[in-house]
Amino acid sequence: MAVAPPEHHVARQARLRAELSAASLEGLLVTSLPNIAYLTGLFASTATVVVSPAAISLIVDGRYAEAAHARQREIPGLRVVVAPPAGSAEESAAAQLAIIGNGRVGFESDNLSVRRHQDLAGRLALAGPETRLEASQGIVERLRVVKDDWEIGRLREGAARLSDAAKCIIPKALAGMSERQVAAGIEAELRRVGFDKPAFDTIVASGPNAAMPHYRAGDRRLADGDLVVMDFGGMLDGYAVDLTRTITVGRPRERERQLLEHVAAAQAAAFQAIGVGKAATAVDDAARRVLEGAGLGEAFSHGTGHGLGLEVHERPRVGRWRAEQADERLEAGMVFTLEPGAYIAGWGGARIEDDVVVTAGGAEWLTDVPRLL
Ligand code: GLY
Ligand code: MN
Ligand code: MN
């Protein structure tokens, strides 16, 4: 698996230190695994990072010792701590935090469990110097929202492979096949084009099941005239790409054809609304207005898109404006999906999803598959 070159990690560390200084934090306890992968290049199922003024300490257990030491040899400023077999990650993290001494250290309040927080706070209280844990939110996620050129390269490659997979496999969904059989074919195709794994459980929703946006795949058999929503994605070198096409089995009838055209028009309007400095919610608004104009406002029951990166759903949120949530302004290098849909309970539904990158002049499609198949 390819990882970002060391200079990208050095740049990420510098941006992180600037964020910590702006927040008047001496350090940061990082427990979110995608954030740890972003800062160290280590993709582990268990790991903890303590960012201190002196170093970035990557705490792992014996299973990841060798991989972590390889990362240490690559990245200046990274120091590996292997937790002793009889010890806990909290014990090692508390020891690293105590070295920081007096000061405020942020923790990721969206991620750290209450139990782990209590364990750490208890150990710090015994350690002597006054290291205070302070709740923080989204510090590393803010860095991740704008992709560097290496990340954009991986996402571009992933989107090209996903498009190849889609073009090959979608025409093979035929009347009589079960949704599960179609999903198995899609997942085999994702492996064939080189993805490490699917990015999420593949959705194949046929007939009335297509009215459920996050249905998965069941035993129903595809029948002539059905709308079939196929939503699938892959992970390549740790980065997620995501695509949906809706087909009709056999020749489309008028109602199905019109629905697909309205959804495609909403996606095109969303794409046109993208621009550096514009609000992410304006992109959602553009798609929503098209569907409202077609009498499908109520049927569009989710947001227009979501950021893609180390997670399949990350910032920016391309959804409706909400009073309690700060609007995000689009920046060049953001990568997200555009996936409007319309769902009619008991009848069916349609979604069309592609991946885009924001550029200085607007946006560029990363996925490339005919929309009205
Ligand atoms: N299937 C997940 C998504 O499209 O967001
Ligand atoms: Mn999506
Ligand atoms: Mn999707």
Side-chain angles (χ1 to χ4, degrees):
M1 167 172 174
V3 282
E7 62 271 22
H8 289 253
H9 285 284
V10 171
R12 293 172 191 179
Q13 288 177 18
R15 289 166 60 218
L16 175 60
R17 293 203 183 283
E19 289 280 336
L20 294 184
S21 151
S24 303
L25 290 171
E26 249 50 69
L28 184 67
L29 175 70
V30 185
T31 49
S32 145
L33 294 172
N35 287 347
I36 291 172
Y38 184 74
L39 294 174
T40 69
L42 183 76
F43 289 79
S45 60
T46 317
T48 307
V49 158
V50 174
V51 181
S52 73
I56 298 212
S57 300
L58 170 60
I59 301 162
V60 293
D61 60 49
R63 294 171 299 166
Y64 293 106
E66 187 180 339
H69 279 116
R71 302 305 304 144
Q72 177 176 273
R73 287 192 292 277
E74 283 259 313
I75 303 180
L78 186 69
R79 189 168 62 199
V80 171
V81 176
V82 180
S88 66
E90 286 70 34
E91 182 184 342
S92 297
Q96 295 302 314
L97 290 167
I99 296 170
I100 297 175
N102 294 331
R104 299 168 65 228
V105 173
F107 69 90
E108 296 181 311
S109 61
D110 283 328
N111 186 275
L112 186 70
S113 71
V114 173
R115 184 201 63 75
R116 291 188 73 192
H117 181 274
Q118 285 172 340
D119 185 333
L120 282 162
R123 290 176 191 276
L124 286 174
L126 295 175
E130 222 176 284
T131 311
R132 288 195 314 282
L133 290 173
E134 303 257 346
S136 73
Q137 269 183 316
I139 292 183
V140 182
E141 286 84 348
R142 256 198 298 287
L143 307 179
R144 283 170 44 195
V145 70
V146 174
K147 272 61 190 176
D148 61 36
D149 54 1
W150 186 86
E151 293 179 291
I152 289 174
R154 298 330 292 152
L155 287 159
R156 196 182 284 287
E157 176 64 26
R161 291 186 195 203
L162 192 61
S163 303
D164 285 347
K167 281 182 247 185
C168 185
I169 200 71
I170 289 175
K172 295 186 179 148
L174 301 171
M177 293 172 74
S178 74
E179 293 167 343
R180 272 187 223 280
Q181 281 172 324
V182 176
I186 290 171
E187 291 183 4
E189 184 67 15
L190 294 175
R191 297 277 182 186
R192 191 188 68 79
V193 299
F195 285 106
D196 302 317
K197 59 178 179 179
F200 50 85
D201 291 330
T202 297
I203 296 170
V204 177
S206 67
N209 295 336
M212 292 177 266
H214 272 192
Y215 176 84
R216 286 184 182 170
D219 293 324
R220 188 179 182 279
R221 294 193 179 270
L222 276 52
D224 210 41
D226 277 353
L227 282 166
V228 185
V229 176
M230 291 182 246
D231 182 349
F232 48 96
M235 302 297 298
L236 182 69
D237 296 329
Y239 284 79
V241 284
D242 188 4
L243 181 125
T244 305
R245 286 294 178 268
T246 303
I247 60 158
T248 51
V249 181
R251 283 176 63 81
R253 289 180 295 228
E254 191 55 18
R255 188 177 179 198
E256 284 80 356
R257 193 184 57 74
Q258 279 188 10
L259 185 77
L260 283 166
E261 281 177 4
H262 291 313
V263 172
Q267 195 201 39
F271 183 81
Q272 290 304 323
I274 299 172
V276 170
K278 298 209 185 139
T281 53
V283 176
D284 179 84
D285 202 43
R288 206 162 291 283
R289 260 181 285 146
V290 170
L291 289 171
E292 281 167 359
L296 294 165
E298 299 261 308
F300 181 19
S301 52
H302 54 74
T304 294
H306 53 85
L308 290 170
L310 291 164
E311 291 174 280
V312 71
H313 294 114
E314 58 177 56
R315 294 176 56 183
R317 187 182 73 82
V318 185
R320 284 174 193 263
W321 184 84
R322 282 189 202 150
E324 74 278 12
Q325 222 158 357
D327 209 346
E328 285 177 290
R329 296 277 153 190
L330 299 180
E331 292 179 56
M334 287 183 173
V335 174
F336 52 83
T337 68
L338 294 178
E339 52 178 302
Y343 311 91
I344 298 157
W347 178 73
R351 175 165 68 257
I352 299 176
E353 174 176 32
D354 285 279
D355 306 342
V356 298
V357 56
V358 182
T359 61
E364 188 191 327
W365 297 105
L366 294 176
T367 39
D368 176 22
V369 181
R371 289 186 175 75
L372 302 175
L373 290 149

